[in-house]
PDB file of all heavy atoms in Angstrom:
ATOM      1  N   GLY A   6       0.817  -1.204   0.000  1.00 91.00           N
ATOM      2  CA  GLY A   6       0.000   0.000   0.000  1.00 91.00           C
ATOM      3  C   GLY A   6       0.850   1.253   0.000  1.00 91.00           C
ATOM      4  O   GLY A   6       0.542   2.239  -0.686  1.00 91.00           O
ATOM      5  N   ALA A   7       1.957   1.232   0.744  1.00 94.00           N
ATOM      6  CA  ALA A   7       2.839   2.395   0.804  1.00 94.00           C
ATOM      7  C   ALA A   7       3.485   2.675  -0.544  1.00 94.00           C
ATOM      8  O   ALA A   7       3.774   3.819  -0.886  1.00 94.00           O
ATOM      9  CB  ALA A   7       3.917   2.183   1.865  1.00 94.00           C
ATOM     10  N   GLY A   8       3.701   1.638  -1.321  1.00 92.00           N
ATOM     11  CA  GLY A   8       4.320   1.816  -2.632  1.00 92.00           C
ATOM     12  C   GLY A   8       3.394   2.432  -3.653  1.00 92.00           C
ATOM     13  O   GLY A   8       3.853   2.902  -4.693  1.00 92.00           O
ATOM     14  N   GLU A   9       2.096   2.437  -3.379  1.00 93.00           N
ATOM     15  CA  GLU A   9       1.126   2.929  -4.355  1.00 93.00           C
ATOM     16  C   GLU A   9       0.334   4.137  -3.888  1.00 93.00           C
ATOM     17  O   GLU A   9      -0.369   4.776  -4.677  1.00 93.00           O
ATOM     18  CB  GLU A   9       0.148   1.796  -4.714  1.00 93.00           C
ATOM     19  CG  GLU A   9       0.824   0.584  -5.338  1.00 93.00           C
ATOM     20  CD  GLU A   9      -0.176  -0.489  -5.738  1.00 93.00           C
ATOM     21  OE1 GLU A   9      -1.334  -0.413  -5.297  1.00 93.00           O
ATOM     22  OE2 GLU A   9       0.208  -1.390  -6.499  1.00 93.00           O
ATOM     23  N   ALA A  10       0.405   4.486  -2.606  1.00 95.00           N
ATOM     24  CA  ALA A  10      -0.448   5.533  -2.040  1.00 95.00           C
ATOM     25  C   ALA A  10      -0.121   6.922  -2.589  1.00 95.00           C
ATOM     26  O   ALA A  10       1.036   7.249  -2.847  1.00 95.00           O
ATOM     27  CB  ALA A  10      -0.325   5.540  -0.524  1.00 95.00           C
ATOM     28  N   LYS A  11      -1.175   7.724  -2.754  1.00 95.00           N
ATOM     29  CA  LYS A  11      -1.053   9.106  -3.214  1.00 95.00           C
ATOM     30  C   LYS A  11      -1.711  10.039  -2.201  1.00 95.00           C
ATOM     31  O   LYS A  11      -2.641   9.640  -1.493  1.00 95.00           O
ATOM     32  CB  LYS A  11      -1.733   9.268  -4.584  1.00 95.00           C
ATOM     33  CG  LYS A  11      -1.114   8.453  -5.698  1.00 95.00           C
ATOM     34  CD  LYS A  11      -1.881   8.668  -6.995  1.00 95.00           C
ATOM     35  CE  LYS A  11      -1.267   7.867  -8.136  1.00 95.00           C
ATOM     36  NZ  LYS A  11      -2.031   8.053  -9.406  1.00 95.00           N
ATOM     37  N   PRO A  12      -1.262  11.289  -2.138  1.00 96.00           N
ATOM     38  CA  PRO A  12      -1.896  12.250  -1.230  1.00 96.00           C
ATOM     39  C   PRO A  12      -3.390  12.386  -1.512  1.00 96.00           C
ATOM     40  O   PRO A  12      -3.798  12.531  -2.674  1.00 96.00           O
ATOM     41  CB  PRO A  12      -1.167  13.549  -1.535  1.00 96.00           C
ATOM     42  CG  PRO A  12       0.162  13.134  -2.068  1.00 96.00           C
ATOM     43  CD  PRO A  12      -0.101  11.882  -2.847  1.00 96.00           C
ATOM     44  N   GLY A  13      -4.179  12.310  -0.467  1.00 95.00           N
ATOM     45  CA  GLY A  13      -5.631  12.425  -0.609  1.00 95.00           C
ATOM     46  C   GLY A  13      -6.359  11.098  -0.537  1.00 95.00           C
ATOM     47  O   GLY A  13      -7.586  11.072  -0.412  1.00 95.00           O
ATOM     48  N   GLN A  14      -5.623   9.979  -0.612  1.00 94.00           N
ATOM     49  CA  GLN A  14      -6.268   8.674  -0.505  1.00 94.00           C
ATOM     50  C   GLN A  14      -6.449   8.296   0.970  1.00 94.00           C
ATOM     51  O   GLN A  14      -5.982   8.982   1.870  1.00 94.00           O
ATOM     52  CB  GLN A  14      -5.433   7.616  -1.224  1.00 94.00           C
ATOM     53  CG  GLN A  14      -5.426   7.782  -2.737  1.00 94.00           C
ATOM     54  CD  GLN A  14      -4.757   6.609  -3.434  1.00 94.00           C
ATOM     55  OE1 GLN A  14      -3.563   6.355  -3.233  1.00 94.00           O
ATOM     56  NE2 GLN A  14      -5.512   5.901  -4.244  1.00 94.00           N
ATOM     57  N   PHE A  15      -7.153   7.176   1.194  1.00 93.00           N
ATOM     58  CA  PHE A  15      -7.414   6.760   2.562  1.00 93.00           C
ATOM     59  C   PHE A  15      -7.303   5.250   2.696  1.00 93.00           C
ATOM     60  O   PHE A  15      -7.211   4.511   1.703  1.00 93.00           O
ATOM     61  CB  PHE A  15      -8.800   7.234   3.017  1.00 93.00           C
ATOM     62  CG  PHE A  15      -9.963   6.589   2.280  1.00 93.00           C
ATOM     63  CD1 PHE A  15     -10.622   5.483   2.800  1.00 93.00           C
ATOM     64  CD2 PHE A  15     -10.407   7.104   1.066  1.00 93.00           C
ATOM     65  CE1 PHE A  15     -11.688   4.899   2.122  1.00 93.00           C
ATOM     66  CE2 PHE A  15     -11.474   6.530   0.382  1.00 93.00           C
ATOM     67  CZ  PHE A  15     -12.120   5.427   0.918  1.00 93.00           C
ATOM     68  N   LEU A  16      -7.289   4.792   3.947  1.00 94.00           N
ATOM     69  CA  LEU A  16      -7.272   3.379   4.269  1.00 94.00           C
ATOM     70  C   LEU A  16      -8.590   2.989   4.924  1.00 94.00           C
ATOM     71  O   LEU A  16      -9.207   3.796   5.626  1.00 94.00           O
ATOM     72  CB  LEU A  16      -6.138   3.046   5.249  1.00 94.00           C
ATOM     73  CG  LEU A  16      -4.713   3.344   4.797  1.00 94.00           C
ATOM     74  CD1 LEU A  16      -3.740   3.032   5.931  1.00 94.00           C
ATOM     75  CD2 LEU A  16      -4.353   2.561   3.543  1.00 94.00           C
ATOM     76  N   ALA A  17      -9.014   1.752   4.712  1.00 92.00           N
ATOM     77  CA  ALA A  17     -10.135   1.177   5.451  1.00 92.00           C
ATOM     78  C   ALA A  17      -9.517   0.214   6.467  1.00 92.00           C
ATOM     79  O   ALA A  17      -8.903  -0.787   6.084  1.00 92.00           O
ATOM     80  CB  ALA A  17     -11.081   0.444   4.513  1.00 92.00           C
ATOM     81  N   ILE A  18      -9.651   0.528   7.739  1.00 94.00           N
ATOM     82  CA  ILE A  18      -9.016  -0.259   8.799  1.00 94.00           C
ATOM     83  C   ILE A  18     -10.083  -1.010   9.577  1.00 94.00           C
ATOM     84  O   ILE A  18     -11.061  -0.423  10.044  1.00 94.00           O
ATOM     85  CB  ILE A  18      -8.190   0.644   9.732  1.00 94.00           C
ATOM     86  CG1 ILE A  18      -7.154   1.436   8.920  1.00 94.00           C
ATOM     87  CG2 ILE A  18      -7.493  -0.191  10.796  1.00 94.00           C
ATOM     88  CD1 ILE A  18      -6.292   2.369   9.749  1.00 94.00           C
ATOM     89  N   TYR A  19      -9.880  -2.314   9.704  1.00 94.00           N
ATOM     90  CA  TYR A  19     -10.868  -3.180  10.356  1.00 94.00           C
ATOM     91  C   TYR A  19     -10.545  -3.365  11.833  1.00 94.00           C
ATOM     92  O   TYR A  19      -9.387  -3.507  12.220  1.00 94.00           O
ATOM     93  CB  TYR A  19     -10.902  -4.553   9.676  1.00 94.00           C
ATOM     94  CG  TYR A  19     -11.462  -4.527   8.278  1.00 94.00           C
ATOM     95  CD1 TYR A  19     -10.670  -4.120   7.198  1.00 94.00           C
ATOM     96  CD2 TYR A  19     -12.771  -4.895   8.019  1.00 94.00           C
ATOM     97  CE1 TYR A  19     -11.183  -4.081   5.908  1.00 94.00           C
ATOM     98  CE2 TYR A  19     -13.293  -4.863   6.732  1.00 94.00           C
ATOM     99  CZ  TYR A  19     -12.497  -4.461   5.692  1.00 94.00           C
ATOM    100  OH  TYR A  19     -13.000  -4.420   4.417  1.00 94.00           O
ATOM    101  N   SER A  20     -11.593  -3.378  12.641  1.00 91.00           N
ATOM    102  CA  SER A  20     -11.437  -3.605  14.073  1.00 91.00           C
ATOM    103  C   SER A  20     -11.221  -5.095  14.338  1.00 91.00           C
ATOM    104  O   SER A  20     -11.718  -5.959  13.613  1.00 91.00           O
ATOM    105  CB  SER A  20     -12.686  -3.125  14.813  1.00 91.00           C
ATOM    106  OG  SER A  20     -12.638  -3.519  16.160  1.00 91.00           O
ATOM    107  N   GLU A  21     -10.478  -5.376  15.387  1.00 88.00           N
ATOM    108  CA  GLU A  21     -10.308  -6.764  15.812  1.00 88.00           C
ATOM    109  C   GLU A  21     -11.545  -7.277  16.543  1.00 88.00           C
ATOM    110  O   GLU A  21     -11.677  -8.472  16.784  1.00 88.00           O
ATOM    111  CB  GLU A  21      -9.073  -6.889  16.719  1.00 88.00           C
ATOM    112  CG  GLU A  21      -7.757  -6.615  15.999  1.00 88.00           C
ATOM    113  CD  GLU A  21      -7.538  -7.559  14.819  1.00 88.00           C
ATOM    114  OE1 GLU A  21      -7.112  -8.712  15.054  1.00 88.00           O
ATOM    115  OE2 GLU A  21      -7.791  -7.148  13.671  1.00 88.00           O
ATOM    116  N   ASP A  22     -12.453  -6.389  16.885  1.00 88.00           N
ATOM    117  CA  ASP A  22     -13.741  -6.766  17.474  1.00 88.00           C
ATOM    118  C   ASP A  22     -14.654  -7.209  16.340  1.00 88.00           C
ATOM    119  O   ASP A  22     -15.138  -6.388  15.561  1.00 88.00           O
ATOM    120  CB  ASP A  22     -14.342  -5.577  18.220  1.00 88.00           C
ATOM    121  CG  ASP A  22     -15.672  -5.902  18.879  1.00 88.00           C
ATOM    122  OD1 ASP A  22     -16.240  -6.975  18.597  1.00 88.00           O
ATOM    123  OD2 ASP A  22     -16.158  -5.065  19.674  1.00 88.00           O
ATOM    124  N   ARG A  23     -14.882  -8.473  16.208  1.00 78.00           N
ATOM    125  CA  ARG A  23     -15.615  -9.014  15.058  1.00 78.00           C
ATOM    126  C   ARG A  23     -17.100  -8.690  15.087  1.00 78.00           C
ATOM    127  O   ARG A  23     -17.831  -9.015  14.141  1.00 78.00           O
ATOM    128  CB  ARG A  23     -15.399 -10.533  14.956  1.00 78.00           C
ATOM    129  CG  ARG A  23     -13.960 -10.896  14.602  1.00 78.00           C
ATOM    130  CD  ARG A  23     -13.491 -10.157  13.362  1.00 78.00           C
ATOM    131  NE  ARG A  23     -12.086 -10.398  13.044  1.00 78.00           N
ATOM    132  CZ  ARG A  23     -11.428  -9.764  12.089  1.00 78.00           C
ATOM    133  NH1 ARG A  23     -12.025  -8.840  11.375  1.00 78.00           N
ATOM    134  NH2 ARG A  23     -10.154 -10.028  11.871  1.00 78.00           N
ATOM    135  N   THR A  24     -17.594  -8.062  16.157  1.00 79.00           N
ATOM    136  CA  THR A  24     -18.976  -7.587  16.145  1.00 79.00           C
ATOM    137  C   THR A  24     -19.089  -6.310  15.316  1.00 79.00           C
ATOM    138  O   THR A  24     -20.186  -5.873  14.978  1.00 79.00           O
ATOM    139  CB  THR A  24     -19.489  -7.306  17.573  1.00 79.00           C
ATOM    140  OG1 THR A  24     -18.768  -6.211  18.139  1.00 79.00           O
ATOM    141  CG2 THR A  24     -19.333  -8.536  18.459  1.00 79.00           C
ATOM    142  N   LYS A  25     -17.953  -5.708  15.002  1.00 81.00           N
ATOM    143  CA  LYS A  25     -17.919  -4.504  14.172  1.00 81.00           C
ATOM    144  C   LYS A  25     -17.433  -4.901  12.781  1.00 81.00           C
ATOM    145  O   LYS A  25     -16.243  -5.001  12.521  1.00 81.00           O
ATOM    146  CB  LYS A  25     -17.011  -3.452  14.809  1.00 81.00           C
ATOM    147  CG  LYS A  25     -17.535  -2.967  16.158  1.00 81.00           C
ATOM    148  CD  LYS A  25     -16.551  -2.062  16.850  1.00 81.00           C
ATOM    149  CE  LYS A  25     -17.145  -1.460  18.120  1.00 81.00           C
ATOM    150  NZ  LYS A  25     -17.828  -2.416  18.993  1.00 81.00           N
ATOM    151  N   LEU A  26     -18.385  -5.170  11.903  1.00 79.00           N
ATOM    152  CA  LEU A  26     -18.069  -5.753  10.610  1.00 79.00           C
ATOM    153  C   LEU A  26     -17.470  -4.745   9.632  1.00 79.00           C
ATOM    154  O   LEU A  26     -16.658  -5.105   8.783  1.00 79.00           O
ATOM    155  CB  LEU A  26     -19.335  -6.370   9.995  1.00 79.00           C
ATOM    156  CG  LEU A  26     -19.986  -7.496  10.808  1.00 79.00           C
ATOM    157  CD1 LEU A  26     -21.246  -7.981  10.101  1.00 79.00           C
ATOM    158  CD2 LEU A  26     -19.009  -8.642  11.016  1.00 79.00           C
ATOM    159  N   LEU A  27     -17.874  -3.495   9.729  1.00 82.00           N
ATOM    160  CA  LEU A  27     -17.443  -2.513   8.745  1.00 82.00           C
ATOM    161  C   LEU A  27     -16.132  -1.848   9.158  1.00 82.00           C
ATOM    162  O   LEU A  27     -15.922  -1.579  10.346  1.00 82.00           O
ATOM    163  CB  LEU A  27     -18.516  -1.438   8.560  1.00 82.00           C
ATOM    164  CG  LEU A  27     -19.852  -1.934   7.997  1.00 82.00           C
ATOM    165  CD1 LEU A  27     -20.856  -0.791   7.979  1.00 82.00           C
ATOM    166  CD2 LEU A  27     -19.675  -2.518   6.603  1.00 82.00           C
ATOM    167  N   PRO A  28     -15.260  -1.567   8.200  1.00 88.00           N
ATOM    168  CA  PRO A  28     -13.993  -0.897   8.515  1.00 88.00           C
ATOM    169  C   PRO A  28     -14.201   0.583   8.793  1.00 88.00           C
ATOM    170  O   PRO A  28     -15.248   1.153   8.463  1.00 88.00           O
ATOM    171  CB  PRO A  28     -13.170  -1.100   7.244  1.00 88.00           C
ATOM    172  CG  PRO A  28     -14.207  -1.127   6.157  1.00 88.00           C
ATOM    173  CD  PRO A  28     -15.389  -1.849   6.751  1.00 88.00           C
ATOM    174  N   ARG A  29     -13.199   1.205   9.381  1.00 89.00           N
ATOM    175  CA  ARG A  29     -13.209   2.651   9.613  1.00 89.00           C
ATOM    176  C   ARG A  29     -12.316   3.311   8.573  1.00 89.00           C
ATOM    177  O   ARG A  29     -11.143   2.943   8.452  1.00 89.00           O
ATOM    178  CB  ARG A  29     -12.694   2.978  11.018  1.00 89.00           C
ATOM    179  CG  ARG A  29     -13.763   2.997  12.100  1.00 89.00           C
ATOM    180  CD  ARG A  29     -14.560   1.730  12.175  1.00 89.00           C
ATOM    181  NE  ARG A  29     -15.608   1.796  13.193  1.00 89.00           N
ATOM    182  CZ  ARG A  29     -16.508   0.847  13.348  1.00 89.00           C
ATOM    183  NH1 ARG A  29     -16.528  -0.212  12.560  1.00 89.00           N
ATOM    184  NH2 ARG A  29     -17.432   0.962  14.296  1.00 89.00           N
ATOM    185  N   PRO A  30     -12.843   4.270   7.809  1.00 90.00           N
ATOM    186  CA  PRO A  30     -12.018   4.962   6.813  1.00 90.00           C
ATOM    187  C   PRO A  30     -11.181   6.037   7.482  1.00 90.00           C
ATOM    188  O   PRO A  30     -11.696   6.881   8.212  1.00 90.00           O
ATOM    189  CB  PRO A  30     -13.053   5.579   5.875  1.00 90.00           C
ATOM    190  CG  PRO A  30     -14.248   5.816   6.751  1.00 90.00           C
ATOM    191  CD  PRO A  30     -14.250   4.728   7.789  1.00 90.00           C
ATOM    192  N   ILE A  31      -9.875   6.020   7.248  1.00 93.00           N
ATOM    193  CA  ILE A  31      -8.977   7.009   7.837  1.00 93.00           C
ATOM    194  C   ILE A  31      -8.023   7.501   6.748  1.00 93.00           C
ATOM    195  O   ILE A  31      -7.363   6.703   6.072  1.00 93.00           O
ATOM    196  CB  ILE A  31      -8.178   6.430   9.020  1.00 93.00           C
ATOM    197  CG1 ILE A  31      -9.138   5.885  10.101  1.00 93.00           C
ATOM    198  CG2 ILE A  31      -7.258   7.483   9.610  1.00 93.00           C
ATOM    199  CD1 ILE A  31      -8.431   5.270  11.297  1.00 93.00           C
ATOM    200  N   SER A  32      -7.951   8.812   6.591  1.00 94.00           N
ATOM    201  CA  SER A  32      -7.101   9.393   5.554  1.00 94.00           C
ATOM    202  C   SER A  32      -5.627   9.144   5.835  1.00 94.00           C
ATOM    203  O   SER A  32      -5.194   9.101   6.990  1.00 94.00           O
ATOM    204  CB  SER A  32      -7.348  10.904   5.460  1.00 94.00           C
ATOM    205  OG  SER A  32      -8.661  11.168   5.057  1.00 94.00           O
ATOM    206  N   ILE A  33      -4.860   9.004   4.768  1.00 97.00           N
ATOM    207  CA  ILE A  33      -3.422   8.819   4.881  1.00 97.00           C
ATOM    208  C   ILE A  33      -2.773  10.170   5.157  1.00 97.00           C
ATOM    209  O   ILE A  33      -2.993  11.141   4.428  1.00 97.00           O
ATOM    210  CB  ILE A  33      -2.854   8.200   3.593  1.00 97.00           C
ATOM    211  CG1 ILE A  33      -3.425   6.789   3.395  1.00 97.00           C
ATOM    212  CG2 ILE A  33      -1.332   8.171   3.634  1.00 97.00           C
ATOM    213  CD1 ILE A  33      -3.152   6.203   2.020  1.00 97.00           C
ATOM    214  N   CYS A  34      -1.973  10.224   6.200  1.00 98.00           N
ATOM    215  CA  CYS A  34      -1.288  11.460   6.587  1.00 98.00           C
ATOM    216  C   CYS A  34       0.099  11.549   5.949  1.00 98.00           C
ATOM    217  O   CYS A  34       0.507  12.624   5.516  1.00 98.00           O
ATOM    218  CB  CYS A  34      -1.183  11.523   8.114  1.00 98.00           C
ATOM    219  SG  CYS A  34      -0.188  12.886   8.752  1.00 98.00           S
ATOM    220  N   ALA A  35       0.820  10.437   5.925  1.00 98.00           N
ATOM    221  CA  ALA A  35       2.175  10.448   5.383  1.00 98.00           C
ATOM    222  C   ALA A  35       2.508   9.090   4.784  1.00 98.00           C
ATOM    223  O   ALA A  35       1.993   8.058   5.225  1.00 98.00           O
ATOM    224  CB  ALA A  35       3.185  10.814   6.470  1.00 98.00           C
ATOM    225  N   VAL A  36       3.385   9.111   3.778  1.00 98.00           N
ATOM    226  CA  VAL A  36       3.780   7.911   3.051  1.00 98.00           C
ATOM    227  C   VAL A  36       5.294   7.803   3.041  1.00 98.00           C
ATOM    228  O   VAL A  36       5.989   8.785   2.775  1.00 98.00           O
ATOM    229  CB  VAL A  36       3.273   7.967   1.583  1.00 98.00           C
ATOM    230  CG1 VAL A  36       3.708   6.722   0.823  1.00 98.00           C
ATOM    231  CG2 VAL A  36       1.768   8.151   1.530  1.00 98.00           C
ATOM    232  N   ASP A  37       5.802   6.622   3.345  1.00 97.00           N
ATOM    233  CA  ASP A  37       7.234   6.350   3.194  1.00 97.00           C
ATOM    234  C   ASP A  37       7.349   5.054   2.389  1.00 97.00           C
ATOM    235  O   ASP A  37       7.354   3.960   2.953  1.00 97.00           O
ATOM    236  CB  ASP A  37       7.916   6.214   4.556  1.00 97.00           C
ATOM    237  CG  ASP A  37       9.445   6.155   4.436  1.00 97.00           C
ATOM    238  OD1 ASP A  37       9.939   5.684   3.391  1.00 97.00           O
ATOM    239  OD2 ASP A  37      10.134   6.556   5.394  1.00 97.00           O
ATOM    240  N   ALA A  38       7.390   5.208   1.059  1.00 96.00           N
ATOM    241  CA  ALA A  38       7.417   4.038   0.189  1.00 96.00           C
ATOM    242  C   ALA A  38       8.672   3.207   0.405  1.00 96.00           C
ATOM    243  O   ALA A  38       8.636   1.976   0.357  1.00 96.00           O
ATOM    244  CB  ALA A  38       7.311   4.472  -1.271  1.00 96.00           C
ATOM    245  N   LYS A  39       9.794   3.875   0.662  1.00 96.00           N
ATOM    246  CA  LYS A  39      11.057   3.154   0.858  1.00 96.00           C
ATOM    247  C   LYS A  39      11.006   2.285   2.112  1.00 96.00           C
ATOM    248  O   LYS A  39      11.452   1.130   2.102  1.00 96.00           O
ATOM    249  CB  LYS A  39      12.211   4.141   0.962  1.00 96.00           C
ATOM    250  CG  LYS A  39      13.579   3.495   1.027  1.00 96.00           C
ATOM    251  CD  LYS A  39      14.687   4.543   1.011  1.00 96.00           C
ATOM    252  CE  LYS A  39      16.064   3.893   1.069  1.00 96.00           C
ATOM    253  NZ  LYS A  39      17.161   4.910   1.045  1.00 96.00           N
ATOM    254  N   ALA A  40      10.446   2.818   3.188  1.00 97.00           N
ATOM    255  CA  ALA A  40      10.340   2.047   4.438  1.00 97.00           C
ATOM    256  C   ALA A  40       9.127   1.131   4.443  1.00 97.00           C
ATOM    257  O   ALA A  40       9.002   0.259   5.311  1.00 97.00           O
ATOM    258  CB  ALA A  40      10.268   3.004   5.625  1.00 97.00           C
ATOM    259  N   GLY A  41       8.204   1.339   3.483  1.00 97.00           N
ATOM    260  CA  GLY A  41       6.996   0.506   3.424  1.00 97.00           C
ATOM    261  C   GLY A  41       5.990   0.829   4.506  1.00 97.00           C
ATOM    262  O   GLY A  41       5.277  -0.058   4.985  1.00 97.00           O
ATOM    263  N   THR A  42       5.908   2.116   4.877  1.00 98.00           N
ATOM    264  CA  THR A  42       5.011   2.503   5.964  1.00 98.00           C
ATOM    265  C   THR A  42       4.001   3.558   5.519  1.00 98.00           C
ATOM    266  O   THR A  42       4.261   4.362   4.629  1.00 98.00           O
ATOM    267  CB  THR A  42       5.790   3.057   7.174  1.00 98.00           C
ATOM    268  OG1 THR A  42       6.470   4.261   6.792  1.00 98.00           O
ATOM    269  CG2 THR A  42       6.782   2.035   7.693  1.00 98.00           C
ATOM    270  N   LEU A  43       2.860   3.530   6.175  1.00 98.00           N
ATOM    271  CA  LEU A  43       1.831   4.542   6.018  1.00 98.00           C
ATOM    272  C   LEU A  43       1.498   5.083   7.401  1.00 98.00           C
ATOM    273  O   LEU A  43       1.434   4.330   8.373  1.00 98.00           O
ATOM    274  CB  LEU A  43       0.574   3.969   5.364  1.00 98.00           C
ATOM    275  CG  LEU A  43       0.691   3.552   3.905  1.00 98.00           C
ATOM    276  CD1 LEU A  43      -0.586   2.882   3.440  1.00 98.00           C
ATOM    277  CD2 LEU A  43       0.999   4.756   3.018  1.00 98.00           C
ATOM    278  N   ARG A  44       1.254   6.373   7.468  1.00 98.00           N
ATOM    279  CA  ARG A  44       0.937   7.026   8.739  1.00 98.00           C
ATOM    280  C   ARG A  44      -0.472   7.590   8.670  1.00 98.00           C
ATOM    281  O   ARG A  44      -0.855   8.210   7.669  1.00 98.00           O
ATOM    282  CB  ARG A  44       1.938   8.143   8.983  1.00 98.00           C
ATOM    283  CG  ARG A  44       1.728   8.962  10.245  1.00 98.00           C
ATOM    284  CD  ARG A  44       2.727  10.093  10.267  1.00 98.00           C
ATOM    285  NE  ARG A  44       2.569  10.995  11.396  1.00 98.00           N
ATOM    286  CZ  ARG A  44       3.151  12.183  11.488  1.00 98.00           C
ATOM    287  NH1 ARG A  44       3.942  12.601  10.506  1.00 98.00           N
ATOM    288  NH2 ARG A  44       2.951  12.956  12.542  1.00 98.00           N
ATOM    289  N   VAL A  45      -1.254   7.345   9.711  1.00 98.00           N
ATOM    290  CA  VAL A  45      -2.596   7.915   9.802  1.00 98.00           C
ATOM    291  C   VAL A  45      -2.716   8.679  11.112  1.00 98.00           C
ATOM    292  O   VAL A  45      -2.148   8.284  12.128  1.00 98.00           O
ATOM    293  CB  VAL A  45      -3.700   6.832   9.710  1.00 98.00           C
ATOM    294  CG1 VAL A  45      -3.701   6.176   8.338  1.00 98.00           C
ATOM    295  CG2 VAL A  45      -3.542   5.781  10.799  1.00 98.00           C
ATOM    296  N   VAL A  46      -3.419   9.788  11.065  1.00 97.00           N
ATOM    297  CA  VAL A  46      -3.723  10.565  12.270  1.00 97.00           C
ATOM    298  C   VAL A  46      -5.238  10.673  12.331  1.00 97.00           C
ATOM    299  O   VAL A  46      -5.868  11.157  11.378  1.00 97.00           O
ATOM    300  CB  VAL A  46      -3.066  11.960  12.221  1.00 97.00           C
ATOM    301  CG1 VAL A  46      -3.541  12.806  13.399  1.00 97.00           C
ATOM    302  CG2 VAL A  46      -1.541  11.830  12.246  1.00 97.00           C
ATOM    303  N   TYR A  47      -5.817  10.222  13.410  1.00 96.00           N
ATOM    304  CA  TYR A  47      -7.276  10.127  13.497  1.00 96.00           C
ATOM    305  C   TYR A  47      -7.771  10.616  14.854  1.00 96.00           C
ATOM    306  O   TYR A  47      -7.035  10.659  15.834  1.00 96.00           O
ATOM    307  CB  TYR A  47      -7.726   8.678  13.273  1.00 96.00           C
ATOM    308  CG  TYR A  47      -7.224   7.699  14.314  1.00 96.00           C
ATOM    309  CD1 TYR A  47      -8.007   7.364  15.420  1.00 96.00           C
ATOM    310  CD2 TYR A  47      -5.955   7.118  14.207  1.00 96.00           C
ATOM    311  CE1 TYR A  47      -7.539   6.479  16.389  1.00 96.00           C
ATOM    312  CE2 TYR A  47      -5.486   6.238  15.166  1.00 96.00           C
ATOM    313  CZ  TYR A  47      -6.278   5.918  16.250  1.00 96.00           C
ATOM    314  OH  TYR A  47      -5.813   5.056  17.213  1.00 96.00           O
ATOM    315  N   ARG A  48      -9.038  10.970  14.885  1.00 96.00           N
ATOM    316  CA  ARG A  48      -9.693  11.375  16.130  1.00 96.00           C
ATOM    317  C   ARG A  48     -10.662  10.277  16.555  1.00 96.00           C
ATOM    318  O   ARG A  48     -11.339   9.671  15.714  1.00 96.00           O
ATOM    319  CB  ARG A  48     -10.456  12.687  15.939  1.00 96.00           C
ATOM    320  CG  ARG A  48     -11.268  13.111  17.165  1.00 96.00           C
ATOM    321  CD  ARG A  48     -12.010  14.413  16.919  1.00 96.00           C
ATOM    322  NE  ARG A  48     -11.120  15.552  16.966  1.00 96.00           N
ATOM    323  CZ  ARG A  48     -11.097  16.532  16.080  1.00 96.00           C
ATOM    324  NH1 ARG A  48     -11.904  16.485  15.035  1.00 96.00           N
ATOM    325  NH2 ARG A  48     -10.265  17.544  16.220  1.00 96.00           N
ATOM    326  N   ILE A  49     -10.721   9.989  17.836  1.00 95.00           N
ATOM    327  CA  ILE A  49     -11.694   9.024  18.333  1.00 95.00           C
ATOM    328  C   ILE A  49     -13.093   9.558  18.050  1.00 95.00           C
ATOM    329  O   ILE A  49     -13.473  10.636  18.515  1.00 95.00           O
ATOM    330  CB  ILE A  49     -11.523   8.759  19.841  1.00 95.00           C
ATOM    331  CG1 ILE A  49     -10.183   8.070  20.108  1.00 95.00           C
ATOM    332  CG2 ILE A  49     -12.678   7.903  20.366  1.00 95.00           C
ATOM    333  CD1 ILE A  49      -9.898   7.847  21.586  1.00 95.00           C
TER     334      ILE A  49
END
């Protein structure tokens, strides 16, 4: 994902609580394709 991400895109992150079936969409804050990391900043 880090190798393909562009500014303005987002991730769908799934909860480990399986009673919550739908993912939470969180915008990508920073990309490090070389390190293979994505950073998200979110509010509860």
